[in-house]
Amino acid sequence: MKIIGFTASPRKKGNTAWVMDKILEGAKEQGAETQSWHFSDLDIKPCQGCLCCHNGEDRSCIIHDDMQELYGAIESADALVLGSPVYMGQMSAQAKIFVDRLFSLISPRFSPYYKEKVIKMKLILVFTQGNPDTDMFKVYFDYTKSMFQLLEFDVRGVHVIAGMRNGPAHEREGLDMTMKGIGSSLL
């Protein structure tokens, strides 16, 4: 099984990156092949809404940036883990650009661009936030989960690690084992 993690934080060594590393470590300990991407290292441009990915001759995204490499990785994966800090009550800008660019791969049954090959991939969403109330942005987390389900992802969980203002994730007792457990649950 191949599991890919996407860390959508501008901070390469921040809380979200640490959490994502632990999730992938848990999957790897169970025998999964893992790969990770840090969006702080990538050049991903916003979707242009041109619809070439669904209507063009080769039906692929015409924007040539680092997302092209991610498309190949996604197509070879069995599961994805998307981690994002919460900024202004929602996923980071880096995560949003990535999610928008997934449009070229998506063709759910309700879509006018329906193709037999749909993603139908396992997905775990992970959010880190400074606010200690895990339900503070529940409406947004529920919306995000529903959006991915509508696009025919098999959402296996939405995990919110709250209270990051009180200290870094790597100092939180037991969090490493909890995150490893999430990773191993994908197998």
Side-chain angles (χ1 to χ4, degrees), residues 4 6 9 23 35 45 47 74 83 89 93 105 122 127 138-139:
I4 300 179
F6 298 101
S9 171
I23 290 171
Q35 185 175 18
K45 294 174 179 56
C47 177
I74 291 167
L105 300 179
K122 295 177 189 175
F127 294 98
K138 185 177 181 337
V139 171

Side-chain angles (χ1 to χ4, degrees), residues 37-98:
W37 302 87
H38 291 269
F39 290 178
S40 60
D41 293 334
L42 301 172
D43 175 31
I44 302 175
K45 294 174 179 56
C47 177
Q48 299 301 303
C50 66
L51 298 177
C52 286
C53 59
H54 291 290
N55 296 327
E57 284 184 33
D58 66 0
R59 295 192 181 244
S60 63
C61 183
I62 63 167
I63 300 171
H64 295 286
D65 59 6
D66 291 336
M67 194 67 189
Q68 297 300 325
E69 189 174 356
L70 299 184
Y71 289 140
I74 291 167
E75 288 182 0
S76 70
D78 299 298
L80 305 178
V81 182
L82 175 60
S84 175
V86 174
Y87 291 162
M88 302 301 290
Q90 56 190 333
M91 67 177 66
S92 69
Q94 293 85 350
K96 179 63 170 130
I97 287 173
F98 170 74

